[in-house]
Amino acid sequence: MFPLRAIINACVALRIHPNILTFVGVLINVAAAVALATNRFILAGVIMIVANIFDFIDGKVAVLLGAVSKFGGFWDSVNDRFSDIALFIGLIYLYSHLGRTDYVMVASLAMMFSIMTSYARARAESLIAKCKVGFMERPERIVLFMIGAFTNRMAAVLWVILVLSIFTVADRVIHTYRELRQDAREALA
Amino acid sequence: MKRSPATLPARILWNAFFWTYERASWQYDVMVIAILAFVWLVPPDWLKDPTAHGSGPVGWILDRLR
């Protein structure tokens, strides 16, 4: 895609380190969270698109600059969590400001289970080879956030994220249990 | 082994719950359609949406049918 290629080429020409691009993406997501907190959903959606451009290009720039590193992957994951939490906090602030404790709880639980999906996979993959099960991963979450922001259907989006994140965490726990049990059986045989 | 047709809904539910499909699969497309239908068709009033109001497309159709 031309605009993205132009941005990537500009970053490579300026030799901008991919880890800086990752961090800039988080800062832009914080701006999106502020827009969500102040009930400006369309603006938040636009800012989220810009933030995710940074999230998309950092890996490509790293490859082109020959700056791919294990730390870069780790930094990217940590910053992704900050971005996710920032967006949820924006919504929690908004619902709190509107006096809607019910949706403060929905958003808080959705945030908790969204973080747990990532944690469950990271911890599982320290024990087993792969734990890529469950529907609700970060790309799905981000696209849903944008749909909710652009079409003003954030409540429905939060319910979807909450329910499917609970399922995803459960999937990962069950999958890890099965894999470890299988390993234990093979070790005994 | 032949499976009983009665187990089909249970298997569909289990596969939807214990999700192992790739993004470029038809099952993923069906899930996306179901999610978008929920997000866009369920009236915001049913969910007591703090920022959106109205009955949405489903409410509009139900109003016309009354």
Side-chain angles (χ1 to χ4, degrees), chain A residues 39 41 95 100 103 133-135 137 139-140 144 147 151-153 155-156 160 164 167 171 174 178, chain B residues 14 17-20 23 28 31-32 35-36 38-40 42 44 47-52 56-57:
Chain A
N39 206 358
F41 280 5
Y95 296 140
R100 292 295 302 271
Y103 272 93
V133 294
F135 180 87
E137 295 194 308
E140 285 78 16
L144 275 168
I147 289 169
T151 63
N152 194 14
R153 289 289 182 274
V160 170
L164 293 183
F167 283 168
D171 287 350
I174 293 166
R178 283 176 172 174
Chain B
W14 173 250
F17 165 70
F18 194 74
W19 188 267
T20 54
R23 288 207 174 94
Y28 186 86
M31 186 65 132
V32 168
I35 289 170
L36 291 180
F38 175 78
V39 169
W40 283 330
V42 170
L47 298 172
K48 297 185 170 59
D49 191 324
T51 56

mmCIF file of all heavy atoms in Angstrom, chain A residues 39 41 95 100 103 133-135 137 139-140 144 147 151-153 155-156 160 164 167 171 174 178, chain B residues 14 17-20 23 28 31-32 35-36 38-40 42 44 47-52 56-57:
data_model
loop_
_atom_site.group_PDB
_atom_site.id
_atom_site.type_symbol
_atom_site.label_atom_id
_atom_site.label_comp_id
_atom_site.label_asym_id
_atom_site.label_seq_id
_atom_site.Cartn_x
_atom_site.Cartn_y
_atom_site.Cartn_z
ATOM 1 N N ASN A 39 -15.543 11.638 25.504
ATOM 2 C CA ASN A 39 -16.722 11.315 24.690
ATOM 3 C C ASN A 39 -16.605 11.817 23.247
ATOM 4 O O ASN A 39 -17.613 12.140 22.627
ATOM 5 C CB ASN A 39 -17.990 11.873 25.348
ATOM 6 C CG ASN A 39 -19.229 11.089 24.951
ATOM 7 O OD1 ASN A 39 -19.152 10.151 24.157
ATOM 8 N ND2 ASN A 39 -20.365 11.476 25.505
ATOM 9 N N PHE A 41 -15.768 10.152 20.268
ATOM 10 C CA PHE A 41 -15.471 8.812 19.752
ATOM 11 C C PHE A 41 -14.891 8.835 18.341
ATOM 12 O O PHE A 41 -14.005 8.047 18.026
ATOM 13 C CB PHE A 41 -16.735 7.946 19.799
ATOM 14 C CG PHE A 41 -17.041 7.382 21.167
ATOM 15 C CD1 PHE A 41 -16.287 7.716 22.282
ATOM 16 C CD2 PHE A 41 -18.086 6.493 21.338
ATOM 17 C CE1 PHE A 41 -16.554 7.196 23.531
ATOM 18 C CE2 PHE A 41 -18.370 5.945 22.584
ATOM 19 C CZ PHE A 41 -17.610 6.309 23.687
ATOM 20 N N TYR A 95 -17.211 6.533 31.600
ATOM 21 C CA TYR A 95 -18.401 5.963 32.230
ATOM 22 C C TYR A 95 -18.508 6.385 33.702
ATOM 23 O O TYR A 95 -19.609 6.569 34.223
ATOM 24 C CB TYR A 95 -18.410 4.434 32.092
ATOM 25 C CG TYR A 95 -18.511 3.965 30.660
ATOM 26 C CD1 TYR A 95 -17.781 2.882 30.188
ATOM 27 C CD2 TYR A 95 -19.349 4.627 29.758
ATOM 28 C CE1 TYR A 95 -17.872 2.465 28.869
ATOM 29 C CE2 TYR A 95 -19.441 4.218 28.436
ATOM 30 C CZ TYR A 95 -18.701 3.138 27.997
ATOM 31 O OH TYR A 95 -18.791 2.737 26.693
ATOM 32 N N ARG A 100 -22.038 5.962 35.440
ATOM 33 C CA ARG A 100 -22.511 4.635 35.053
ATOM 34 C C ARG A 100 -21.582 3.557 35.603
ATOM 35 O O ARG A 100 -20.697 3.049 34.902
ATOM 36 C CB ARG A 100 -22.600 4.548 33.524
ATOM 37 C CG ARG A 100 -23.683 5.440 32.931
ATOM 38 C CD ARG A 100 -25.079 5.003 33.370
ATOM 39 N NE ARG A 100 -25.351 3.628 32.982
ATOM 40 C CZ ARG A 100 -25.886 3.306 31.814
ATOM 41 N NH1 ARG A 100 -26.214 4.231 30.939
ATOM 42 N NH2 ARG A 100 -26.103 2.045 31.527
ATOM 43 N N TYR A 103 -21.257 0.172 33.634
ATOM 44 C CA TYR A 103 -20.305 0.089 32.518
ATOM 45 C C TYR A 103 -18.866 0.325 32.971
ATOM 46 O O TYR A 103 -17.929 -0.102 32.272
ATOM 47 C CB TYR A 103 -20.714 1.002 31.363
ATOM 48 C CG TYR A 103 -21.637 0.250 30.436
ATOM 49 C CD1 TYR A 103 -23.013 0.331 30.592
ATOM 50 C CD2 TYR A 103 -21.129 -0.592 29.474
ATOM 51 C CE1 TYR A 103 -23.861 -0.419 29.795
ATOM 52 C CE2 TYR A 103 -21.963 -1.340 28.667
ATOM 53 C CZ TYR A 103 -23.328 -1.244 28.828
ATOM 54 O OH TYR A 103 -24.147 -2.002 28.043
ATOM 55 N N VAL A 133 -4.598 -20.342 20.806
ATOM 56 C CA VAL A 133 -6.014 -20.700 20.701
ATOM 57 C C VAL A 133 -6.836 -19.547 21.264
ATOM 58 O O VAL A 133 -6.309 -18.670 21.952
ATOM 59 C CB VAL A 133 -6.337 -22.020 21.454
ATOM 60 C CG1 VAL A 133 -5.655 -23.206 20.820
ATOM 61 C CG2 VAL A 133 -5.952 -21.907 22.922
ATOM 62 N N GLY A 134 -8.131 -19.563 20.956
ATOM 63 C CA GLY A 134 -9.009 -18.476 21.420
ATOM 64 C C GLY A 134 -9.160 -17.411 20.352
ATOM 65 O O GLY A 134 -8.223 -17.125 19.603
ATOM 66 N N PHE A 135 -10.345 -16.824 20.301
ATOM 67 C CA PHE A 135 -10.681 -15.879 19.216
ATOM 68 C C PHE A 135 -10.152 -14.471 19.474
ATOM 69 O O PHE A 135 -9.619 -13.815 18.590
ATOM 70 C CB PHE A 135 -12.205 -15.826 19.037
ATOM 71 C CG PHE A 135 -12.643 -14.894 17.949
ATOM 72 C CD1 PHE A 135 -12.719 -15.332 16.635
ATOM 73 C CD2 PHE A 135 -12.976 -13.574 18.220
ATOM 74 C CE1 PHE A 135 -13.110 -14.471 15.621
ATOM 75 C CE2 PHE A 135 -13.368 -12.710 17.219
ATOM 76 C CZ PHE A 135 -13.438 -13.160 15.912
ATOM 77 N N GLU A 137 -7.951 -11.909 20.176
ATOM 78 C CA GLU A 137 -6.569 -11.454 20.325
ATOM 79 C C GLU A 137 -6.523 -9.952 20.069
ATOM 80 O O GLU A 137 -7.541 -9.323 19.818
ATOM 81 C CB GLU A 137 -5.669 -12.225 19.367
ATOM 82 C CG GLU A 137 -5.614 -13.702 19.719
ATOM 83 C CD GLU A 137 -4.499 -14.439 19.037
ATOM 84 O OE1 GLU A 137 -4.391 -14.338 17.798
ATOM 85 O OE2 GLU A 137 -3.721 -15.103 19.743
ATOM 86 N N PRO A 139 -5.456 -7.903 17.566
ATOM 87 C CA PRO A 139 -6.002 -7.293 16.346
ATOM 88 C C PRO A 139 -7.528 -7.213 16.358
ATOM 89 O O PRO A 139 -8.104 -6.199 15.957
ATOM 90 C CB PRO A 139 -5.497 -8.226 15.234
ATOM 91 C CG PRO A 139 -4.275 -8.859 15.802
ATOM 92 C CD PRO A 139 -4.526 -9.014 17.265
ATOM 93 N N GLU A 140 -8.168 -8.287 16.831
ATOM 94 C CA GLU A 140 -9.642 -8.285 16.900
ATOM 95 C C GLU A 140 -10.121 -7.184 17.851
ATOM 96 O O GLU A 140 -11.088 -6.469 17.564
ATOM 97 C CB GLU A 140 -10.166 -9.641 17.390
ATOM 98 C CG GLU A 140 -10.107 -10.770 16.384
ATOM 99 C CD GLU A 140 -8.730 -11.361 16.217
ATOM 100 O OE1 GLU A 140 -7.864 -11.124 17.089
ATOM 101 O OE2 GLU A 140 -8.491 -12.051 15.203
ATOM 102 N N LEU A 144 -12.353 -3.946 16.869
ATOM 103 C CA LEU A 144 -13.638 -3.746 17.551
ATOM 104 C C LEU A 144 -13.704 -2.371 18.214
ATOM 105 O O LEU A 144 -14.737 -1.697 18.158
ATOM 106 C CB LEU A 144 -13.855 -4.848 18.590
ATOM 107 C CG LEU A 144 -14.472 -6.126 18.062
ATOM 108 C CD1 LEU A 144 -14.384 -7.239 19.094
ATOM 109 C CD2 LEU A 144 -15.928 -5.914 17.654
ATOM 110 N N ILE A 147 -14.472 0.073 15.495
ATOM 111 C CA ILE A 147 -15.880 -0.027 15.074
ATOM 112 C C ILE A 147 -16.780 0.643 16.114
ATOM 113 O O ILE A 147 -17.686 1.407 15.780
ATOM 114 C CB ILE A 147 -16.268 -1.513 14.866
ATOM 115 C CG1 ILE A 147 -15.573 -2.062 13.615
ATOM 116 C CG2 ILE A 147 -17.782 -1.676 14.755
ATOM 117 C CD1 ILE A 147 -15.681 -3.564 13.466
ATOM 118 N N THR A 151 -18.849 4.027 15.044
ATOM 119 C CA THR A 151 -20.299 3.863 14.899
ATOM 120 C C THR A 151 -21.048 4.095 16.212
ATOM 121 O O THR A 151 -22.254 3.845 16.271
ATOM 122 C CB THR A 151 -20.637 2.448 14.339
ATOM 123 O OG1 THR A 151 -20.202 1.469 15.285
ATOM 124 C CG2 THR A 151 -19.966 2.191 13.025
ATOM 125 N N ASN A 152 -20.314 4.561 17.229
ATOM 126 C CA ASN A 152 -20.909 4.834 18.549
ATOM 127 C C ASN A 152 -21.683 3.628 19.090
ATOM 128 O O ASN A 152 -22.848 3.735 19.480
ATOM 129 C CB ASN A 152 -21.821 6.072 18.487
ATOM 130 C CG ASN A 152 -22.169 6.575 19.883
ATOM 131 O OD1 ASN A 152 -21.546 6.184 20.872
ATOM 132 N ND2 ASN A 152 -23.169 7.435 19.974
ATOM 133 N N ARG A 153 -21.014 2.494 19.073
ATOM 134 C CA ARG A 153 -21.595 1.266 19.636
ATOM 135 C C ARG A 153 -20.604 0.639 20.620
ATOM 136 O O ARG A 153 -20.367 -0.564 20.606
ATOM 137 C CB ARG A 153 -21.935 0.265 18.506
ATOM 138 C CG ARG A 153 -23.106 0.668 17.641
ATOM 139 C CD ARG A 153 -24.424 0.562 18.403
ATOM 140 N NE ARG A 153 -25.570 0.892 17.589
ATOM 141 C CZ ARG A 153 -26.029 2.126 17.400
ATOM 142 N NH1 ARG A 153 -25.416 3.166 17.962
ATOM 143 N NH2 ARG A 153 -27.087 2.346 16.661
ATOM 144 N N ALA A 155 -20.724 0.228 23.873
ATOM 145 C CA ALA A 155 -21.249 -0.678 24.899
ATOM 146 C C ALA A 155 -21.303 -2.111 24.363
ATOM 147 O O ALA A 155 -20.836 -3.053 25.019
ATOM 148 C CB ALA A 155 -22.634 -0.217 25.348
ATOM 149 N N ALA A 156 -21.845 -2.259 23.144
ATOM 150 C CA ALA A 156 -21.927 -3.600 22.548
ATOM 151 C C ALA A 156 -20.529 -4.170 22.334
ATOM 152 O O ALA A 156 -20.289 -5.360 22.586
ATOM 153 C CB ALA A 156 -22.687 -3.522 21.217
ATOM 154 N N VAL A 160 -18.846 -7.671 23.800
ATOM 155 C CA VAL A 160 -18.223 -8.694 22.938
ATOM 156 C C VAL A 160 -16.794 -8.977 23.415
ATOM 157 O O VAL A 160 -16.388 -10.137 23.554
ATOM 158 C CB VAL A 160 -18.215 -8.231 21.458
ATOM 159 C CG1 VAL A 160 -17.373 -9.163 20.599
ATOM 160 C CG2 VAL A 160 -19.633 -8.162 20.908
ATOM 161 N N LEU A 164 -15.846 -12.715 24.881
ATOM 162 C CA LEU A 164 -14.897 -13.514 24.090
ATOM 163 C C LEU A 164 -13.507 -13.570 24.740
ATOM 164 O O LEU A 164 -12.774 -14.534 24.534
ATOM 165 C CB LEU A 164 -14.820 -12.991 22.651
ATOM 166 C CG LEU A 164 -16.110 -13.171 21.842
ATOM 167 C CD1 LEU A 164 -15.915 -12.697 20.413
ATOM 168 C CD2 LEU A 164 -16.563 -14.625 21.838
ATOM 169 N N PHE A 167 -13.720 -16.386 27.251
ATOM 170 C CA PHE A 167 -13.586 -17.663 26.537
ATOM 171 C C PHE A 167 -12.137 -17.915 26.133
ATOM 172 O O PHE A 167 -11.637 -19.031 26.225
ATOM 173 C CB PHE A 167 -14.464 -17.671 25.280
ATOM 174 C CG PHE A 167 -15.927 -17.899 25.557
ATOM 175 C CD1 PHE A 167 -16.874 -17.682 24.568
ATOM 176 C CD2 PHE A 167 -16.367 -18.325 26.799
ATOM 177 C CE1 PHE A 167 -18.226 -17.890 24.804
ATOM 178 C CE2 PHE A 167 -17.712 -18.529 27.055
ATOM 179 C CZ PHE A 167 -18.644 -18.316 26.053
ATOM 180 N N ASP A 171 -9.906 -21.001 27.068
ATOM 181 C CA ASP A 171 -9.318 -21.851 26.010
ATOM 182 C C ASP A 171 -7.840 -22.088 26.279
ATOM 183 O O ASP A 171 -7.340 -23.207 26.131
ATOM 184 C CB ASP A 171 -9.423 -21.158 24.644
ATOM 185 C CG ASP A 171 -10.830 -21.159 24.103
ATOM 186 O OD1 ASP A 171 -11.681 -21.851 24.676
ATOM 187 O OD2 ASP A 171 -11.068 -20.453 23.104
ATOM 188 N N ILE A 174 -7.263 -24.392 29.282
ATOM 189 C CA ILE A 174 -7.591 -25.786 28.946
ATOM 190 C C ILE A 174 -6.525 -26.370 28.020
ATOM 191 O O ILE A 174 -6.043 -27.491 28.232
ATOM 192 C CB ILE A 174 -8.991 -25.863 28.281
ATOM 193 C CG1 ILE A 174 -10.079 -25.500 29.291
ATOM 194 C CG2 ILE A 174 -9.249 -27.238 27.700
ATOM 195 C CD1 ILE A 174 -11.439 -25.223 28.656
ATOM 196 N N ARG A 178 -4.075 -29.562 28.836
ATOM 197 C CA ARG A 178 -4.039 -30.767 27.998
ATOM 198 C C ARG A 178 -2.629 -31.063 27.497
ATOM 199 O O ARG A 178 -2.181 -32.207 27.517
ATOM 200 C CB ARG A 178 -4.964 -30.569 26.787
ATOM 201 C CG ARG A 178 -6.430 -30.726 27.108
ATOM 202 C CD ARG A 178 -7.216 -30.420 25.863
ATOM 203 N NE ARG A 178 -8.619 -30.703 26.000
ATOM 204 C CZ ARG A 178 -9.517 -30.403 25.073
ATOM 205 N NH1 ARG A 178 -9.136 -29.788 23.961
ATOM 206 N NH2 ARG A 178 -10.785 -30.699 25.247
ATOM 207 N N TRP B 14 -19.268 -26.002 21.024
ATOM 208 C CA TRP B 14 -17.956 -26.306 21.611
ATOM 209 C C TRP B 14 -16.832 -25.715 20.744
ATOM 210 O O TRP B 14 -15.887 -25.120 21.266
ATOM 211 C CB TRP B 14 -17.779 -27.824 21.758
ATOM 212 C CG TRP B 14 -16.384 -28.180 22.198
ATOM 213 C CD1 TRP B 14 -15.414 -28.790 21.469
ATOM 214 C CD2 TRP B 14 -15.783 -27.899 23.471
ATOM 215 N NE1 TRP B 14 -14.252 -28.912 22.193
ATOM 216 C CE2 TRP B 14 -14.453 -28.375 23.427
ATOM 217 C CE3 TRP B 14 -16.236 -27.278 24.641
ATOM 218 C CZ2 TRP B 14 -13.575 -28.245 24.507
ATOM 219 C CZ3 TRP B 14 -15.356 -27.157 25.710
ATOM 220 C CH2 TRP B 14 -14.052 -27.641 25.635
ATOM 221 N N PHE B 17 -16.651 -22.079 21.223
ATOM 222 C CA PHE B 17 -16.059 -21.773 22.531
ATOM 223 C C PHE B 17 -14.566 -22.065 22.527
ATOM 224 O O PHE B 17 -13.745 -21.197 22.850
ATOM 225 C CB PHE B 17 -16.777 -22.570 23.623
ATOM 226 C CG PHE B 17 -16.033 -22.600 24.927
ATOM 227 C CD1 PHE B 17 -15.915 -21.459 25.700
ATOM 228 C CD2 PHE B 17 -15.439 -23.772 25.375
ATOM 229 C CE1 PHE B 17 -15.205 -21.487 26.896
ATOM 230 C CE2 PHE B 17 -14.734 -23.804 26.566
ATOM 231 C CZ PHE B 17 -14.616 -22.654 27.328
ATOM 232 N N PHE B 18 -14.222 -23.304 22.112
ATOM 233 C CA PHE B 18 -12.804 -23.685 22.105
ATOM 234 C C PHE B 18 -12.243 -23.384 20.711
ATOM 235 O O PHE B 18 -12.113 -24.255 19.871
ATOM 236 C CB PHE B 18 -12.641 -25.158 22.476
ATOM 237 C CG PHE B 18 -11.226 -25.499 22.816
ATOM 238 C CD1 PHE B 18 -10.671 -25.102 24.018
ATOM 239 C CD2 PHE B 18 -10.426 -26.189 21.932
ATOM 240 C CE1 PHE B 18 -9.357 -25.383 24.323
ATOM 241 C CE2 PHE B 18 -9.113 -26.469 22.236
ATOM 242 C CZ PHE B 18 -8.579 -26.071 23.428
ATOM 243 N N TRP B 19 -11.907 -22.123 20.512
ATOM 244 C CA TRP B 19 -11.598 -21.597 19.176
ATOM 245 C C TRP B 19 -10.175 -21.952 18.759
ATOM 246 O O TRP B 19 -9.206 -21.560 19.416
ATOM 247 C CB TRP B 19 -11.765 -20.079 19.197
ATOM 248 C CG TRP B 19 -11.656 -19.462 17.862
ATOM 249 C CD1 TRP B 19 -10.537 -18.939 17.273
ATOM 250 C CD2 TRP B 19 -12.701 -19.316 16.903
ATOM 251 N NE1 TRP B 19 -10.828 -18.488 16.010
ATOM 252 C CE2 TRP B 19 -12.146 -18.706 15.766
ATOM 253 C CE3 TRP B 19 -14.050 -19.663 16.892
ATOM 254 C CZ2 TRP B 19 -12.910 -18.415 14.639
ATOM 255 C CZ3 TRP B 19 -14.808 -19.367 15.770
ATOM 256 C CH2 TRP B 19 -14.238 -18.754 14.666
ATOM 257 N N THR B 20 -10.060 -22.679 17.595
ATOM 258 C CA THR B 20 -8.719 -23.041 17.111
ATOM 259 C C THR B 20 -8.560 -22.705 15.629
ATOM 260 O O THR B 20 -7.595 -23.125 15.003
ATOM 261 C CB THR B 20 -8.461 -24.547 17.304
ATOM 262 O OG1 THR B 20 -9.524 -25.268 16.679
ATOM 263 C CG2 THR B 20 -8.387 -24.932 18.771
ATOM 264 N N ARG B 23 -7.347 -17.106 10.972
ATOM 265 C CA ARG B 23 -8.085 -15.898 10.560
ATOM 266 C C ARG B 23 -8.665 -16.027 9.150
ATOM 267 O O ARG B 23 -9.705 -15.467 8.873
ATOM 268 C CB ARG B 23 -7.186 -14.674 10.634
ATOM 269 C CG ARG B 23 -6.904 -14.275 12.068
ATOM 270 C CD ARG B 23 -6.614 -12.814 12.223
ATOM 271 N NE ARG B 23 -6.508 -12.503 13.651
ATOM 272 C CZ ARG B 23 -5.353 -12.483 14.319
ATOM 273 N NH1 ARG B 23 -4.215 -12.720 13.700
ATOM 274 N NH2 ARG B 23 -5.345 -12.229 15.605
ATOM 275 N N TYR B 28 -13.999 -18.239 10.792
ATOM 276 C CA TYR B 28 -13.655 -16.907 11.293
ATOM 277 C C TYR B 28 -14.611 -15.863 10.702
ATOM 278 O O TYR B 28 -15.092 -14.971 11.409
ATOM 279 C CB TYR B 28 -12.198 -16.587 10.916
ATOM 280 C CG TYR B 28 -11.676 -15.300 11.506
ATOM 281 C CD1 TYR B 28 -11.120 -15.270 12.776
ATOM 282 C CD2 TYR B 28 -11.750 -14.097 10.794
ATOM 283 C CE1 TYR B 28 -10.647 -14.105 13.328
ATOM 284 C CE2 TYR B 28 -11.284 -12.922 11.338
ATOM 285 C CZ TYR B 28 -10.727 -12.926 12.605
ATOM 286 O OH TYR B 28 -10.258 -11.750 13.146
ATOM 287 N N MET B 31 -17.900 -15.985 12.431
ATOM 288 C CA MET B 31 -17.807 -15.364 13.762
ATOM 289 C C MET B 31 -17.823 -13.844 13.648
ATOM 290 O O MET B 31 -18.501 -13.161 14.427
ATOM 291 C CB MET B 31 -16.524 -15.831 14.452
ATOM 292 C CG MET B 31 -16.397 -15.371 15.875
ATOM 293 S SD MET B 31 -17.652 -16.080 16.946
ATOM 294 C CE MET B 31 -16.669 -16.626 18.313
ATOM 295 N N VAL B 32 -17.083 -13.312 12.659
ATOM 296 C CA VAL B 32 -17.038 -11.855 12.472
ATOM 297 C C VAL B 32 -18.437 -11.322 12.123
ATOM 298 O O VAL B 32 -18.872 -10.295 12.674
ATOM 299 C CB VAL B 32 -16.012 -11.479 11.372
ATOM 300 C CG1 VAL B 32 -16.170 -10.020 10.973
ATOM 301 C CG2 VAL B 32 -14.595 -11.737 11.872
ATOM 302 N N ILE B 35 -20.537 -11.256 15.224
ATOM 303 C CA ILE B 35 -20.153 -10.162 16.128
ATOM 304 C C ILE B 35 -20.673 -8.821 15.593
ATOM 305 O O ILE B 35 -21.252 -8.020 16.339
ATOM 306 C CB ILE B 35 -18.608 -10.114 16.304
ATOM 307 C CG1 ILE B 35 -18.150 -11.314 17.129
ATOM 308 C CG2 ILE B 35 -18.171 -8.809 16.973
ATOM 309 C CD1 ILE B 35 -16.645 -11.491 17.149
ATOM 310 N N LEU B 36 -20.480 -8.588 14.295
ATOM 311 C CA LEU B 36 -20.935 -7.313 13.721
ATOM 312 C C LEU B 36 -22.455 -7.201 13.791
ATOM 313 O O LEU B 36 -22.994 -6.112 14.037
ATOM 314 C CB LEU B 36 -20.445 -7.172 12.280
ATOM 315 C CG LEU B 36 -18.924 -6.982 12.121
ATOM 316 C CD1 LEU B 36 -18.556 -6.860 10.646
ATOM 317 C CD2 LEU B 36 -18.441 -5.754 12.877
ATOM 318 N N PHE B 38 -24.336 -8.471 16.104
ATOM 319 C CA PHE B 38 -24.648 -8.115 17.496
ATOM 320 C C PHE B 38 -24.383 -6.629 17.753
ATOM 321 O O PHE B 38 -25.226 -5.920 18.319
ATOM 322 C CB PHE B 38 -23.823 -8.982 18.459
ATOM 323 C CG PHE B 38 -23.989 -8.591 19.904
ATOM 324 C CD1 PHE B 38 -25.120 -8.980 20.613
ATOM 325 C CD2 PHE B 38 -23.035 -7.823 20.551
ATOM 326 C CE1 PHE B 38 -25.289 -8.607 21.947
ATOM 327 C CE2 PHE B 38 -23.196 -7.442 21.879
ATOM 328 C CZ PHE B 38 -24.333 -7.846 22.573
ATOM 329 N N VAL B 39 -23.198 -6.161 17.312
ATOM 330 C CA VAL B 39 -22.793 -4.779 17.608
ATOM 331 C C VAL B 39 -23.733 -3.782 16.937
ATOM 332 O O VAL B 39 -24.139 -2.781 17.552
ATOM 333 C CB VAL B 39 -21.330 -4.548 17.159
ATOM 334 C CG1 VAL B 39 -20.972 -3.067 17.190
ATOM 335 C CG2 VAL B 39 -20.375 -5.336 18.053
ATOM 336 N N TRP B 40 -24.091 -4.046 15.694
ATOM 337 C CA TRP B 40 -24.848 -3.046 14.935
ATOM 338 C C TRP B 40 -26.364 -3.216 15.007
ATOM 339 O O TRP B 40 -27.105 -2.260 14.816
ATOM 340 C CB TRP B 40 -24.407 -3.056 13.470
ATOM 341 C CG TRP B 40 -23.085 -2.359 13.279
ATOM 342 C CD1 TRP B 40 -22.590 -1.331 14.020
ATOM 343 C CD2 TRP B 40 -22.096 -2.648 12.295
ATOM 344 N NE1 TRP B 40 -21.353 -0.968 13.553
ATOM 345 C CE2 TRP B 40 -21.024 -1.744 12.497
ATOM 346 C CE3 TRP B 40 -22.008 -3.571 11.249
ATOM 347 C CZ2 TRP B 40 -19.886 -1.751 11.700
ATOM 348 C CZ3 TRP B 40 -20.871 -3.576 10.471
ATOM 349 C CH2 TRP B 40 -19.820 -2.673 10.687
ATOM 350 N N VAL B 42 -28.245 -4.938 17.609
ATOM 351 C CA VAL B 42 -28.892 -4.896 18.934
ATOM 352 C C VAL B 42 -29.131 -3.440 19.325
ATOM 353 O O VAL B 42 -28.216 -2.610 19.289
ATOM 354 C CB VAL B 42 -28.018 -5.597 19.994
ATOM 355 C CG1 VAL B 42 -28.546 -5.343 21.399
ATOM 356 C CG2 VAL B 42 -27.967 -7.087 19.726
ATOM 357 N N PRO B 44 -29.198 -0.061 21.149
ATOM 358 C CA PRO B 44 -28.412 0.445 22.288
ATOM 359 C C PRO B 44 -29.223 0.510 23.577
ATOM 360 O O PRO B 44 -28.680 0.301 24.662
ATOM 361 C CB PRO B 44 -27.999 1.849 21.836
ATOM 362 C CG PRO B 44 -28.075 1.823 20.360
ATOM 363 C CD PRO B 44 -29.152 0.850 20.005
ATOM 364 N N LEU B 47 -29.053 -2.554 25.731
ATOM 365 C CA LEU B 47 -27.805 -2.702 26.495
ATOM 366 C C LEU B 47 -27.605 -1.555 27.486
ATOM 367 O O LEU B 47 -26.600 -1.514 28.176
ATOM 368 C CB LEU B 47 -26.610 -2.758 25.534
ATOM 369 C CG LEU B 47 -26.572 -3.922 24.534
ATOM 370 C CD1 LEU B 47 -25.444 -3.722 23.533
ATOM 371 C CD2 LEU B 47 -26.406 -5.248 25.244
ATOM 372 N N LYS B 48 -28.557 -0.625 27.505
ATOM 373 C CA LYS B 48 -28.438 0.591 28.329
ATOM 374 C C LYS B 48 -27.116 1.299 28.058
ATOM 375 O O LYS B 48 -26.385 1.685 28.979
ATOM 376 C CB LYS B 48 -28.575 0.261 29.815
ATOM 377 C CG LYS B 48 -29.951 -0.304 30.175
ATOM 378 C CD LYS B 48 -30.063 -0.498 31.677
ATOM 379 C CE LYS B 48 -31.470 -0.833 32.118
ATOM 380 N NZ LYS B 48 -32.049 -2.019 31.539
ATOM 381 N N ASP B 49 -26.814 1.441 26.753
ATOM 382 C CA ASP B 49 -25.557 2.073 26.309
ATOM 383 C C ASP B 49 -25.476 3.501 26.863
ATOM 384 O O ASP B 49 -26.383 4.300 26.644
ATOM 385 C CB ASP B 49 -25.533 2.099 24.769
ATOM 386 C CG ASP B 49 -24.172 2.474 24.221
ATOM 387 O OD1 ASP B 49 -23.493 3.319 24.828
ATOM 388 O OD2 ASP B 49 -23.796 1.931 23.164
ATOM 389 N N PRO B 50 -24.401 3.849 27.584
ATOM 390 C CA PRO B 50 -24.323 5.194 28.173
ATOM 391 C C PRO B 50 -24.141 6.316 27.143
ATOM 392 O O PRO B 50 -24.421 7.467 27.453
ATOM 393 C CB PRO B 50 -23.084 5.120 29.079
ATOM 394 C CG PRO B 50 -22.792 3.671 29.249
ATOM 395 C CD PRO B 50 -23.278 3.006 28.010
ATOM 396 N N THR B 51 -23.665 5.989 25.930
ATOM 397 C CA THR B 51 -23.372 7.061 24.965
ATOM 398 C C THR B 51 -24.240 7.005 23.709
ATOM 399 O O THR B 51 -24.255 7.959 22.945
ATOM 400 C CB THR B 51 -21.888 7.019 24.538
ATOM 401 O OG1 THR B 51 -21.604 5.718 24.007
ATOM 402 C CG2 THR B 51 -20.964 7.308 25.707
ATOM 403 N N ALA B 52 -24.928 5.893 23.481
ATOM 404 C CA ALA B 52 -25.781 5.796 22.285
ATOM 405 C C ALA B 52 -27.220 5.557 22.714
ATOM 406 O O ALA B 52 -27.469 4.893 23.720
ATOM 407 C CB ALA B 52 -25.306 4.658 21.398
ATOM 408 N N GLY B 56 -32.201 1.319 17.353
ATOM 409 C CA GLY B 56 -31.383 0.629 16.354
ATOM 410 C C GLY B 56 -32.216 -0.045 15.281
ATOM 411 O O GLY B 56 -33.444 0.034 15.312
ATOM 412 N N PRO B 57 -31.571 -0.722 14.330
ATOM 413 C CA PRO B 57 -32.301 -1.336 13.218
ATOM 414 C C PRO B 57 -33.319 -2.378 13.672
ATOM 415 O O PRO B 57 -34.430 -2.434 13.141
ATOM 416 C CB PRO B 57 -31.192 -1.995 12.387
ATOM 417 C CG PRO B 57 -29.923 -1.368 12.822
ATOM 418 C CD PRO B 57 -30.122 -0.899 14.222
#
